[in-house]
Amino acid sequence: MGKARAAAPKRDTKLKTKSTGASKKPAKKAGKDPNKPKRPASAFFVFMEEFREKYKKDHPNNKSVAAVGKAGGEKWKSLSDAEKAPYQAKADKRKVEYNKNIQAYNKQLADGPNEADEEESDKSKSEVNDDDDEDEDESGEEEDDDE
């Protein structure tokens, strides 16, 4: 019997460690950077931009977003590859532009925020230096007044 009692607490401790681990809150993710470029729209979404406008003109009383999406999806499926080509070309252009932007963004992150800060600090330094020049003049005048 002594062995059975000794085994029971071991099970309890294991269960307790699992339950405490499960009750921990997951670590919070870092907030999204608002300066990060947004991913480009696919060919379908480029098509939908134009389709929505046409659909609204043809069906001005329609208030359902789902109806527009469903009609757009059906229309997209019925298009041939040749009819989809202009939308694919626009999507490819957007993707190339996005890739340029994201590379610049990643380079900026790798370099750190120092470059942006330096630009701002250069401006602020010149403004501060202008103020300092004025302060020196004023301080020089004050010294003359004291003497």
Side-chain angles (χ1 to χ4, degrees):
M1 277 193 175
K3 291 182 179 179
R5 288 184 182 174
K10 289 181 182 176
R11 289 182 190 159
D12 291 341
T13 56
K14 288 182 181 178
L15 292 174
K16 287 180 183 177
T17 56
K18 287 183 180 178
S19 64
T20 56
S23 66
K24 289 182 181 177
K25 293 181 181 178
K28 291 184 179 180
K29 293 182 182 178
K32 291 185 179 181
D33 186 1
N35 298 328
K36 185 175 182 179
K38 292 185 179 182
R39 292 179 61 192
S42 66
F44 172 71
F45 285 103
V46 173
F47 162 76
M48 283 301 293
E49 290 172 1
E50 292 179 15
F51 182 80
R52 279 188 204 98
E53 293 174 13
K54 292 177 186 175
Y55 192 86
K56 286 181 182 178
K57 288 178 184 176
D58 295 342
H59 305 89
N61 296 331
N62 181 36
K63 301 292 182 188
S64 173
V65 175
V68 177
K70 190 171 185 178
E74 291 172 3
K75 176 75 173 173
W76 179 255
K77 288 178 186 177
S78 68
L79 293 177
S80 67
D81 289 339
E83 293 171 321
K84 291 180 183 179
Y87 303 110
Q88 187 64 42
K90 288 180 185 177
D92 290 342
K93 279 186 181 179
R94 290 183 184 186
K95 188 168 187 174
V96 168
E97 185 67 26
Y98 167 77
N99 287 335
K100 289 178 186 176
N101 291 340
I102 199 72
Q103 285 177 350
Y105 173 79
N106 288 336
K107 184 178 178 186
Q108 184 181 14
L109 283 181
D111 293 344
N114 296 339
E115 288 184 16
D117 290 343
E118 286 177 9
E119 290 177 11
E120 291 178 17
S121 63
D122 288 343
K123 292 178 184 176
S124 62
K125 283 180 185 176
S126 64
E127 292 172 5
V128 170
N129 289 340
D130 292 342
D131 293 340
D132 290 343
D133 293 341
E134 292 173 7
D135 291 339
E136 288 174 6
D137 293 340
E138 291 174 7
S139 63
E141 290 174 8
E142 289 175 11
E143 290 176 8
D144 291 340
D145 292 337
D146 292 336
E147 290 179 10

